[in-house]
Amino acid sequence: MRTIKITEEVWQAIAAKGEFGETENDVLERVFDIQSNANNPRNTLKTERKRNKYADQRMSADVLGQTLDVSFQNGSSKKWALPEPTNKLEIRRIRDEAVNFAKQNNASFGQEQAVKKALTNAGYWLTK
């Protein structure tokens, strides 16, 4: 990875060509038609980010007491009993399961992030 200095005008031109969720690098790869290495982990994130811009159905992700509840408009729903907020390994496992459940129900990227935010808003952080 390299760092370059660019003028404000160049920065604005890159931003004008960008699509929602793209990084500056993503824009330049698209504009210059650069095929990145398929094994690059950034490509996996880029694919996930562009997977579904808009939600197909409403979803709710709530923490009620010590239970995470993720429910979709079509009736798909799943609950997880939450551990103590200090048990980071178990919180990560549950978070990953809940995000995968959302993906299986064709959740948008924003809905996947909402599952994570429900946990952090309730005090289940992974970084503390």
Side-chain angles (χ1 to χ4, degrees):
M1 179 104 20
R2 295 181 187 232
T3 302
I4 61 170
K5 292 183 180 184
I6 58 174
T7 63
E8 182 64 27
E9 292 79 18
V10 173
W11 177 268
Q12 293 300 325
I14 292 170
K17 296 270 187 196
E19 297 174 3
F20 180 75
E22 279 188 318
T23 65
E24 295 79 10
N25 192 73
D26 296 336
V27 174
L28 293 173
E29 285 178 353
R30 184 171 39 79
V31 168
F32 289 108
D33 196 28
I34 298 170
Q35 300 297 319
S36 292
N37 180 357
N39 295 327
N40 185 344
R42 287 181 39 80
N43 292 339
T44 303
L45 293 174
K46 188 173 15 172
T47 302
E48 287 180 17
R49 198 172 24 238
K50 292 181 182 179
R51 183 174 59 88
N52 189 2
K53 284 188 179 182
Y54 300 103
D56 293 336
Q57 58 183 322
R58 290 185 185 271
M59 180 202 81
S60 67
D62 301 300
V63 174
L64 306 168
Q66 284 190 291
T67 303
L68 171 64
D69 180 11
V70 179
S71 302
F72 286 87
Q73 186 177 16
N74 68 1
S76 293
S77 179
K78 194 163 182 182
K79 296 182 181 190
W80 292 265
L82 294 170
E84 291 299 316
T86 56
N87 188 342
K88 305 304 182 188
L89 288 175
E90 188 65 9
I91 292 169
R92 182 177 302 278
R93 184 189 66 75
I94 290 170
R95 184 199 65 177
D96 291 347
E97 279 185 24
V99 169
N100 284 333
F101 172 74
K103 286 179 182 179
Q104 291 168 0
N105 284 278
N106 202 30
S108 67
F109 179 73
Q111 287 173 320
E112 292 171 22
Q113 297 305 309
V115 170
K116 296 175 185 178
K117 186 171 181 169
L119 287 166
T120 57
N121 284 348
Y124 292 92
W125 299 286
L126 292 174
T127 56
K128 288 190 175 185

